[in-house]
Amino acid sequence: MDRTHSTQTLDNHLTEQVERTVRATLREELRSELRAASAKQRRRAILYAASGAAALYCGAALALAIGLVLALGLPGWGAALVTAVLLAAEAVFLRGAAQPRADAKRPSSPAS
């Protein structure tokens, strides 16, 4: 009976060690995979931010060009006002395009 008890204790001890080793290994693998995935997402986010900054400067240059062309026939303040109105109209249009439509909120009815 003493031998059975010691064998059972040894089995329990070995099982616990194997469980700890497997958990530690899985934890490290998961951490390395998460690091790799987050590095890829971080790079993508940086590229999107750089793209947005470039687009912002492009828009500013375009607004300046429109203002300068309008300034050929209008006073400077008039050209700036027309450019501002055009940019405001674009902002309203883009805001409307970004909002979900009422018909998109309703679930589609099943086909009969």
Side-chain angles (χ1 to χ4, degrees):
M1 179 147 180
D2 187 34
R3 188 171 188 191
T4 307
H5 178 69
S6 66
T7 306
Q8 191 174 27
T9 303
L10 182 62
D11 284 347
N12 288 341
H13 182 67
L14 287 174
T15 303
E16 288 175 11
Q17 283 183 339
V18 168
E19 284 179 11
R20 276 187 289 222
T21 303
V22 167
R23 284 184 186 151
T25 304
L26 289 175
R27 195 176 305 132
E28 286 303 315
E29 286 182 24
L30 182 61
R31 281 183 184 157
S32 67
E33 287 181 22
L34 287 174
R35 277 189 201 114
S38 67
K40 187 183 287 187
Q41 288 176 348
R42 212 175 11 248
R43 181 178 184 274
R44 184 176 294 154
I46 289 169
L47 290 174
Y48 273 120
S51 169
L56 180 67
Y57 282 113
C58 177
L62 181 63
L64 178 63
I66 291 171
L68 290 174
V69 167
L70 290 173
L72 294 175
L74 295 173
W77 63 268
L81 183 63
V82 170
T83 304
V85 168
L86 289 173
L87 289 173
E90 179 186 12
V92 169
F93 172 75
L94 291 173
R95 180 177 173 227
Q99 291 180 346
R101 297 184 182 185
D103 59 335
K105 290 181 183 178
R106 283 182 288 182
S108 58
S109 60
S112 298

PDB file of all heavy atoms in Angstrom, residues 7-36:
ATOM      1  N   THR A   7       3.772   5.900  -5.622  1.00  0.00           N
ATOM      2  CA  THR A   7       3.643   5.948  -7.079  1.00  0.00           C
ATOM      3  C   THR A   7       2.585   6.965  -7.484  1.00  0.00           C
ATOM      4  O   THR A   7       2.776   7.750  -8.421  1.00  0.00           O
ATOM      5  CB  THR A   7       3.276   4.558  -7.641  1.00  0.00           C
ATOM      6  OG1 THR A   7       4.212   3.614  -7.193  1.00  0.00           O
ATOM      7  CG2 THR A   7       3.233   4.575  -9.152  1.00  0.00           C
ATOM      8  N   GLN A   8       1.498   6.984  -6.754  1.00  0.00           N
ATOM      9  CA  GLN A   8       0.420   7.936  -7.050  1.00  0.00           C
ATOM     10  C   GLN A   8       0.892   9.369  -6.788  1.00  0.00           C
ATOM     11  O   GLN A   8       0.606  10.276  -7.566  1.00  0.00           O
ATOM     12  CB  GLN A   8      -0.803   7.592  -6.192  1.00  0.00           C
ATOM     13  CG  GLN A   8      -2.049   8.328  -6.592  1.00  0.00           C
ATOM     14  CD  GLN A   8      -3.241   7.845  -5.798  1.00  0.00           C
ATOM     15  OE1 GLN A   8      -3.098   7.357  -4.676  1.00  0.00           O
ATOM     16  NE2 GLN A   8      -4.407   7.975  -6.377  1.00  0.00           N
ATOM     17  N   THR A   9       1.625   9.569  -5.729  1.00  0.00           N
ATOM     18  CA  THR A   9       2.161  10.894  -5.416  1.00  0.00           C
ATOM     19  C   THR A   9       3.138  11.338  -6.497  1.00  0.00           C
ATOM     20  O   THR A   9       3.124  12.489  -6.938  1.00  0.00           O
ATOM     21  CB  THR A   9       2.868  10.870  -4.045  1.00  0.00           C
ATOM     22  OG1 THR A   9       1.947  10.413  -3.055  1.00  0.00           O
ATOM     23  CG2 THR A   9       3.379  12.245  -3.680  1.00  0.00           C
ATOM     24  N   LEU A  10       3.987  10.413  -6.927  1.00  0.00           N
ATOM     25  CA  LEU A  10       4.941  10.718  -7.989  1.00  0.00           C
ATOM     26  C   LEU A  10       4.219  11.060  -9.291  1.00  0.00           C
ATOM     27  O   LEU A  10       4.584  12.004  -9.978  1.00  0.00           O
ATOM     28  CB  LEU A  10       5.895   9.537  -8.196  1.00  0.00           C
ATOM     29  CG  LEU A  10       6.982   9.718  -9.240  1.00  0.00           C
ATOM     30  CD1 LEU A  10       7.896  10.866  -8.849  1.00  0.00           C
ATOM     31  CD2 LEU A  10       7.773   8.434  -9.397  1.00  0.00           C
ATOM     32  N   ASP A  11       3.169  10.295  -9.626  1.00  0.00           N
ATOM     33  CA  ASP A  11       2.375  10.581 -10.829  1.00  0.00           C
ATOM     34  C   ASP A  11       1.740  11.964 -10.741  1.00  0.00           C
ATOM     35  O   ASP A  11       1.749  12.724 -11.720  1.00  0.00           O
ATOM     36  CB  ASP A  11       1.282   9.521 -11.010  1.00  0.00           C
ATOM     37  CG  ASP A  11       1.805   8.211 -11.542  1.00  0.00           C
ATOM     38  OD1 ASP A  11       2.965   8.188 -12.007  1.00  0.00           O
ATOM     39  OD2 ASP A  11       1.058   7.217 -11.502  1.00  0.00           O
ATOM     40  N   ASN A  12       1.183  12.301  -9.601  1.00  0.00           N
ATOM     41  CA  ASN A  12       0.562  13.623  -9.431  1.00  0.00           C
ATOM     42  C   ASN A  12       1.601  14.734  -9.581  1.00  0.00           C
ATOM     43  O   ASN A  12       1.347  15.755 -10.214  1.00  0.00           O
ATOM     44  CB  ASN A  12      -0.118  13.726  -8.069  1.00  0.00           C
ATOM     45  CG  ASN A  12      -1.386  12.903  -7.998  1.00  0.00           C
ATOM     46  OD1 ASN A  12      -1.957  12.536  -9.019  1.00  0.00           O
ATOM     47  ND2 ASN A  12      -1.814  12.591  -6.790  1.00  0.00           N
ATOM     48  N   HIS A  13       2.762  14.512  -8.983  1.00  0.00           N
ATOM     49  CA  HIS A  13       3.830  15.513  -9.063  1.00  0.00           C
ATOM     50  C   HIS A  13       4.292  15.700 -10.507  1.00  0.00           C
ATOM     51  O   HIS A  13       4.465  16.829 -10.973  1.00  0.00           O
ATOM     52  CB  HIS A  13       4.996  15.087  -8.163  1.00  0.00           C
ATOM     53  CG  HIS A  13       6.121  16.061  -8.140  1.00  0.00           C
ATOM     54  ND1 HIS A  13       5.992  17.313  -7.582  1.00  0.00           N
ATOM     55  CD2 HIS A  13       7.387  15.981  -8.621  1.00  0.00           C
ATOM     56  CE1 HIS A  13       7.127  17.963  -7.717  1.00  0.00           C
ATOM     57  NE2 HIS A  13       7.999  17.168  -8.339  1.00  0.00           N
ATOM     58  N   LEU A  14       4.494  14.604 -11.227  1.00  0.00           N
ATOM     59  CA  LEU A  14       4.920  14.689 -12.630  1.00  0.00           C
ATOM     60  C   LEU A  14       3.846  15.348 -13.495  1.00  0.00           C
ATOM     61  O   LEU A  14       4.159  16.147 -14.380  1.00  0.00           O
ATOM     62  CB  LEU A  14       5.262  13.302 -13.171  1.00  0.00           C
ATOM     63  CG  LEU A  14       6.562  12.689 -12.652  1.00  0.00           C
ATOM     64  CD1 LEU A  14       6.692  11.249 -13.152  1.00  0.00           C
ATOM     65  CD2 LEU A  14       7.748  13.510 -13.075  1.00  0.00           C
ATOM     66  N   THR A  15       2.592  15.015 -13.229  1.00  0.00           N
ATOM     67  CA  THR A  15       1.491  15.615 -13.986  1.00  0.00           C
ATOM     68  C   THR A  15       1.459  17.127 -13.779  1.00  0.00           C
ATOM     69  O   THR A  15       1.292  17.896 -14.733  1.00  0.00           O
ATOM     70  CB  THR A  15       0.143  14.996 -13.558  1.00  0.00           C
ATOM     71  OG1 THR A  15       0.198  13.594 -13.752  1.00  0.00           O
ATOM     72  CG2 THR A  15      -1.007  15.581 -14.352  1.00  0.00           C
ATOM     73  N   GLU A  16       1.639  17.567 -12.545  1.00  0.00           N
ATOM     74  CA  GLU A  16       1.661  19.002 -12.268  1.00  0.00           C
ATOM     75  C   GLU A  16       2.823  19.687 -12.973  1.00  0.00           C
ATOM     76  O   GLU A  16       2.674  20.782 -13.520  1.00  0.00           O
ATOM     77  CB  GLU A  16       1.751  19.243 -10.759  1.00  0.00           C
ATOM     78  CG  GLU A  16       0.477  18.924 -10.018  1.00  0.00           C
ATOM     79  CD  GLU A  16       0.642  19.050  -8.501  1.00  0.00           C
ATOM     80  OE1 GLU A  16       1.684  19.585  -8.051  1.00  0.00           O
ATOM     81  OE2 GLU A  16      -0.262  18.620  -7.782  1.00  0.00           O
ATOM     82  N   GLN A  17       3.989  19.056 -12.981  1.00  0.00           N
ATOM     83  CA  GLN A  17       5.145  19.641 -13.666  1.00  0.00           C
ATOM     84  C   GLN A  17       4.912  19.754 -15.166  1.00  0.00           C
ATOM     85  O   GLN A  17       5.252  20.760 -15.789  1.00  0.00           O
ATOM     86  CB  GLN A  17       6.401  18.802 -13.393  1.00  0.00           C
ATOM     87  CG  GLN A  17       6.988  19.024 -12.032  1.00  0.00           C
ATOM     88  CD  GLN A  17       8.270  18.234 -11.843  1.00  0.00           C
ATOM     89  OE1 GLN A  17       8.510  17.254 -12.542  1.00  0.00           O
ATOM     90  NE2 GLN A  17       9.085  18.669 -10.899  1.00  0.00           N
ATOM     91  N   VAL A  18       4.330  18.705 -15.746  1.00  0.00           N
ATOM     92  CA  VAL A  18       4.043  18.737 -17.186  1.00  0.00           C
ATOM     93  C   VAL A  18       3.031  19.838 -17.487  1.00  0.00           C
ATOM     94  O   VAL A  18       3.185  20.586 -18.459  1.00  0.00           O
ATOM     95  CB  VAL A  18       3.537  17.359 -17.677  1.00  0.00           C
ATOM     96  CG1 VAL A  18       2.955  17.446 -19.071  1.00  0.00           C
ATOM     97  CG2 VAL A  18       4.661  16.339 -17.624  1.00  0.00           C
ATOM     98  N   GLU A  19       1.999  19.964 -16.658  1.00  0.00           N
ATOM     99  CA  GLU A  19       0.999  21.021 -16.865  1.00  0.00           C
ATOM    100  C   GLU A  19       1.634  22.399 -16.801  1.00  0.00           C
ATOM    101  O   GLU A  19       1.358  23.263 -17.645  1.00  0.00           O
ATOM    102  CB  GLU A  19      -0.109  20.929 -15.812  1.00  0.00           C
ATOM    103  CG  GLU A  19      -1.099  19.824 -16.054  1.00  0.00           C
ATOM    104  CD  GLU A  19      -2.160  19.769 -14.966  1.00  0.00           C
ATOM    105  OE1 GLU A  19      -2.249  20.705 -14.135  1.00  0.00           O
ATOM    106  OE2 GLU A  19      -2.902  18.776 -14.937  1.00  0.00           O
ATOM    107  N   ARG A  20       2.505  22.638 -15.815  1.00  0.00           N
ATOM    108  CA  ARG A  20       3.171  23.933 -15.693  1.00  0.00           C
ATOM    109  C   ARG A  20       4.054  24.213 -16.900  1.00  0.00           C
ATOM    110  O   ARG A  20       4.079  25.327 -17.428  1.00  0.00           O
ATOM    111  CB  ARG A  20       4.003  23.988 -14.416  1.00  0.00           C
ATOM    112  CG  ARG A  20       3.186  24.365 -13.194  1.00  0.00           C
ATOM    113  CD  ARG A  20       4.123  24.542 -12.049  1.00  0.00           C
ATOM    114  NE  ARG A  20       4.594  23.204 -11.688  1.00  0.00           N
ATOM    115  CZ  ARG A  20       4.739  22.736 -10.466  1.00  0.00           C
ATOM    116  NH1 ARG A  20       4.521  23.524  -9.450  1.00  0.00           N
ATOM    117  NH2 ARG A  20       5.131  21.523 -10.235  1.00  0.00           N
ATOM    118  N   THR A  21       4.764  23.185 -17.359  1.00  0.00           N
ATOM    119  CA  THR A  21       5.649  23.366 -18.507  1.00  0.00           C
ATOM    120  C   THR A  21       4.846  23.681 -19.769  1.00  0.00           C
ATOM    121  O   THR A  21       5.185  24.587 -20.525  1.00  0.00           O
ATOM    122  CB  THR A  21       6.501  22.103 -18.730  1.00  0.00           C
ATOM    123  OG1 THR A  21       7.224  21.816 -17.537  1.00  0.00           O
ATOM    124  CG2 THR A  21       7.468  22.290 -19.875  1.00  0.00           C
ATOM    125  N   VAL A  22       3.770  22.938 -19.972  1.00  0.00           N
ATOM    126  CA  VAL A  22       2.931  23.166 -21.164  1.00  0.00           C
ATOM    127  C   VAL A  22       2.303  24.553 -21.113  1.00  0.00           C
ATOM    128  O   VAL A  22       2.290  25.279 -22.105  1.00  0.00           O
ATOM    129  CB  VAL A  22       1.850  22.065 -21.285  1.00  0.00           C
ATOM    130  CG1 VAL A  22       0.797  22.433 -22.306  1.00  0.00           C
ATOM    131  CG2 VAL A  22       2.496  20.735 -21.635  1.00  0.00           C
ATOM    132  N   ARG A  23       1.800  24.950 -19.952  1.00  0.00           N
ATOM    133  CA  ARG A  23       1.188  26.283 -19.824  1.00  0.00           C
ATOM    134  C   ARG A  23       2.211  27.375 -20.091  1.00  0.00           C
ATOM    135  O   ARG A  23       1.920  28.358 -20.772  1.00  0.00           O
ATOM    136  CB  ARG A  23       0.589  26.466 -18.436  1.00  0.00           C
ATOM    137  CG  ARG A  23      -0.711  25.744 -18.258  1.00  0.00           C
ATOM    138  CD  ARG A  23      -1.304  26.022 -16.908  1.00  0.00           C
ATOM    139  NE  ARG A  23      -2.505  25.202 -16.709  1.00  0.00           N
ATOM    140  CZ  ARG A  23      -2.939  24.783 -15.547  1.00  0.00           C
ATOM    141  NH1 ARG A  23      -2.283  25.090 -14.446  1.00  0.00           N
ATOM    142  NH2 ARG A  23      -4.025  24.062 -15.473  1.00  0.00           N
ATOM    143  N   ALA A  24       3.410  27.219 -19.539  1.00  0.00           N
ATOM    144  CA  ALA A  24       4.450  28.228 -19.752  1.00  0.00           C
ATOM    145  C   ALA A  24       4.829  28.305 -21.227  1.00  0.00           C
ATOM    146  O   ALA A  24       5.000  29.402 -21.780  1.00  0.00           O
ATOM    147  CB  ALA A  24       5.675  27.912 -18.905  1.00  0.00           C
ATOM    148  N   THR A  25       4.942  27.164 -21.884  1.00  0.00           N
ATOM    149  CA  THR A  25       5.289  27.141 -23.306  1.00  0.00           C
ATOM    150  C   THR A  25       4.192  27.793 -24.142  1.00  0.00           C
ATOM    151  O   THR A  25       4.474  28.622 -25.017  1.00  0.00           O
ATOM    152  CB  THR A  25       5.526  25.697 -23.775  1.00  0.00           C
ATOM    153  OG1 THR A  25       6.534  25.103 -22.963  1.00  0.00           O
ATOM    154  CG2 THR A  25       5.939  25.651 -25.223  1.00  0.00           C
ATOM    155  N   LEU A  26       2.959  27.430 -23.864  1.00  0.00           N
ATOM    156  CA  LEU A  26       1.836  28.023 -24.602  1.00  0.00           C
ATOM    157  C   LEU A  26       1.752  29.524 -24.358  1.00  0.00           C
ATOM    158  O   LEU A  26       1.483  30.299 -25.270  1.00  0.00           O
ATOM    159  CB  LEU A  26       0.526  27.347 -24.211  1.00  0.00           C
ATOM    160  CG  LEU A  26       0.345  25.920 -24.700  1.00  0.00           C
ATOM    161  CD1 LEU A  26      -0.947  25.330 -24.141  1.00  0.00           C
ATOM    162  CD2 LEU A  26       0.339  25.854 -26.206  1.00  0.00           C
ATOM    163  N   ARG A  27       1.994  29.948 -23.128  1.00  0.00           N
ATOM    164  CA  ARG A  27       1.949  31.368 -22.801  1.00  0.00           C
ATOM    165  C   ARG A  27       3.010  32.134 -23.586  1.00  0.00           C
ATOM    166  O   ARG A  27       2.735  33.202 -24.141  1.00  0.00           O
ATOM    167  CB  ARG A  27       2.171  31.546 -21.301  1.00  0.00           C
ATOM    168  CG  ARG A  27       1.807  32.907 -20.783  1.00  0.00           C
ATOM    169  CD  ARG A  27       1.943  33.007 -19.263  1.00  0.00           C
ATOM    170  NE  ARG A  27       1.161  31.984 -18.591  1.00  0.00           N
ATOM    171  CZ  ARG A  27       1.615  31.193 -17.611  1.00  0.00           C
ATOM    172  NH1 ARG A  27       2.848  31.312 -17.178  1.00  0.00           N
ATOM    173  NH2 ARG A  27       0.841  30.292 -17.065  1.00  0.00           N
ATOM    174  N   GLU A  28       4.212  31.592 -23.670  1.00  0.00           N
ATOM    175  CA  GLU A  28       5.281  32.249 -24.415  1.00  0.00           C
ATOM    176  C   GLU A  28       4.981  32.287 -25.913  1.00  0.00           C
ATOM    177  O   GLU A  28       5.230  33.287 -26.574  1.00  0.00           O
ATOM    178  CB  GLU A  28       6.623  31.551 -24.165  1.00  0.00           C
ATOM    179  CG  GLU A  28       7.199  31.832 -22.804  1.00  0.00           C
ATOM    180  CD  GLU A  28       7.392  33.308 -22.544  1.00  0.00           C
ATOM    181  OE1 GLU A  28       7.901  34.021 -23.437  1.00  0.00           O
ATOM    182  OE2 GLU A  28       7.013  33.769 -21.456  1.00  0.00           O
ATOM    183  N   GLU A  29       4.435  31.194 -26.448  1.00  0.00           N
ATOM    184  CA  GLU A  29       4.074  31.184 -27.875  1.00  0.00           C
ATOM    185  C   GLU A  29       2.997  32.216 -28.168  1.00  0.00           C
ATOM    186  O   GLU A  29       3.060  32.929 -29.177  1.00  0.00           O
ATOM    187  CB  GLU A  29       3.600  29.787 -28.289  1.00  0.00           C
ATOM    188  CG  GLU A  29       4.701  28.773 -28.420  1.00  0.00           C
ATOM    189  CD  GLU A  29       4.190  27.413 -28.879  1.00  0.00           C
ATOM    190  OE1 GLU A  29       3.115  27.361 -29.519  1.00  0.00           O
ATOM    191  OE2 GLU A  29       4.866  26.423 -28.597  1.00  0.00           O
ATOM    192  N   LEU A  30       2.015  32.288 -27.287  1.00  0.00           N
ATOM    193  CA  LEU A  30       0.937  33.263 -27.472  1.00  0.00           C
ATOM    194  C   LEU A  30       1.478  34.685 -27.413  1.00  0.00           C
ATOM    195  O   LEU A  30       1.112  35.531 -28.237  1.00  0.00           O
ATOM    196  CB  LEU A  30      -0.139  33.054 -26.408  1.00  0.00           C
ATOM    197  CG  LEU A  30      -1.355  33.964 -26.484  1.00  0.00           C
ATOM    198  CD1 LEU A  30      -2.077  33.773 -27.811  1.00  0.00           C
ATOM    199  CD2 LEU A  30      -2.286  33.684 -25.332  1.00  0.00           C
ATOM    200  N   ARG A  31       2.369  34.949 -26.472  1.00  0.00           N
ATOM    201  CA  ARG A  31       2.960  36.282 -26.368  1.00  0.00           C
ATOM    202  C   ARG A  31       3.735  36.647 -27.622  1.00  0.00           C
ATOM    203  O   ARG A  31       3.637  37.768 -28.130  1.00  0.00           O
ATOM    204  CB  ARG A  31       3.891  36.357 -25.165  1.00  0.00           C
ATOM    205  CG  ARG A  31       3.180  36.530 -23.856  1.00  0.00           C
ATOM    206  CD  ARG A  31       4.158  36.673 -22.721  1.00  0.00           C
ATOM    207  NE  ARG A  31       3.454  36.741 -21.457  1.00  0.00           N
ATOM    208  CZ  ARG A  31       3.976  36.441 -20.304  1.00  0.00           C
ATOM    209  NH1 ARG A  31       5.234  36.045 -20.225  1.00  0.00           N
ATOM    210  NH2 ARG A  31       3.266  36.536 -19.205  1.00  0.00           N
ATOM    211  N   SER A  32       4.511  35.708 -28.146  1.00  0.00           N
ATOM    212  CA  SER A  32       5.296  36.021 -29.344  1.00  0.00           C
ATOM    213  C   SER A  32       4.387  36.251 -30.550  1.00  0.00           C
ATOM    214  O   SER A  32       4.639  37.145 -31.361  1.00  0.00           O
ATOM    215  CB  SER A  32       6.315  34.917 -29.636  1.00  0.00           C
ATOM    216  OG  SER A  32       5.670  33.726 -29.997  1.00  0.00           O
ATOM    217  N   GLU A  33       3.306  35.483 -30.663  1.00  0.00           N
ATOM    218  CA  GLU A  33       2.362  35.698 -31.768  1.00  0.00           C
ATOM    219  C   GLU A  33       1.670  37.050 -31.633  1.00  0.00           C
ATOM    220  O   GLU A  33       1.474  37.761 -32.627  1.00  0.00           O
ATOM    221  CB  GLU A  33       1.334  34.573 -31.807  1.00  0.00           C
ATOM    222  CG  GLU A  33       1.878  33.257 -32.312  1.00  0.00           C
ATOM    223  CD  GLU A  33       0.824  32.169 -32.351  1.00  0.00           C
ATOM    224  OE1 GLU A  33      -0.381  32.501 -32.394  1.00  0.00           O
ATOM    225  OE2 GLU A  33       1.208  30.993 -32.341  1.00  0.00           O
ATOM    226  N   LEU A  34       1.284  37.412 -30.414  1.00  0.00           N
ATOM    227  CA  LEU A  34       0.637  38.711 -30.202  1.00  0.00           C
ATOM    228  C   LEU A  34       1.590  39.861 -30.495  1.00  0.00           C
ATOM    229  O   LEU A  34       1.194  40.884 -31.047  1.00  0.00           O
ATOM    230  CB  LEU A  34       0.094  38.812 -28.776  1.00  0.00           C
ATOM    231  CG  LEU A  34      -1.146  37.976 -28.482  1.00  0.00           C
ATOM    232  CD1 LEU A  34      -1.495  38.057 -27.002  1.00  0.00           C
ATOM    233  CD2 LEU A  34      -2.316  38.420 -29.326  1.00  0.00           C
ATOM    234  N   ARG A  35       2.858  39.695 -30.130  1.00  0.00           N
ATOM    235  CA  ARG A  35       3.843  40.737 -30.434  1.00  0.00           C
ATOM    236  C   ARG A  35       3.987  40.925 -31.937  1.00  0.00           C
ATOM    237  O   ARG A  35       4.041  42.048 -32.436  1.00  0.00           O
ATOM    238  CB  ARG A  35       5.198  40.375 -29.831  1.00  0.00           C
ATOM    239  CG  ARG A  35       5.333  40.735 -28.390  1.00  0.00           C
ATOM    240  CD  ARG A  35       6.776  40.554 -27.906  1.00  0.00           C
ATOM    241  NE  ARG A  35       6.775  40.432 -26.469  1.00  0.00           N
ATOM    242  CZ  ARG A  35       7.117  39.348 -25.788  1.00  0.00           C
ATOM    243  NH1 ARG A  35       7.538  38.271 -26.419  1.00  0.00           N
ATOM    244  NH2 ARG A  35       7.059  39.334 -24.485  1.00  0.00           N
ATOM    245  N   ALA A  36       4.064  39.815 -32.651  1.00  0.00           N
ATOM    246  CA  ALA A  36       4.216  39.904 -34.110  1.00  0.00           C
ATOM    247  C   ALA A  36       2.985  40.561 -34.742  1.00  0.00           C
ATOM    248  O   ALA A  36       3.095  41.417 -35.619  1.00  0.00           O
ATOM    249  CB  ALA A  36       4.446  38.524 -34.700  1.00  0.00           C
TER     250      ALA A  36
END
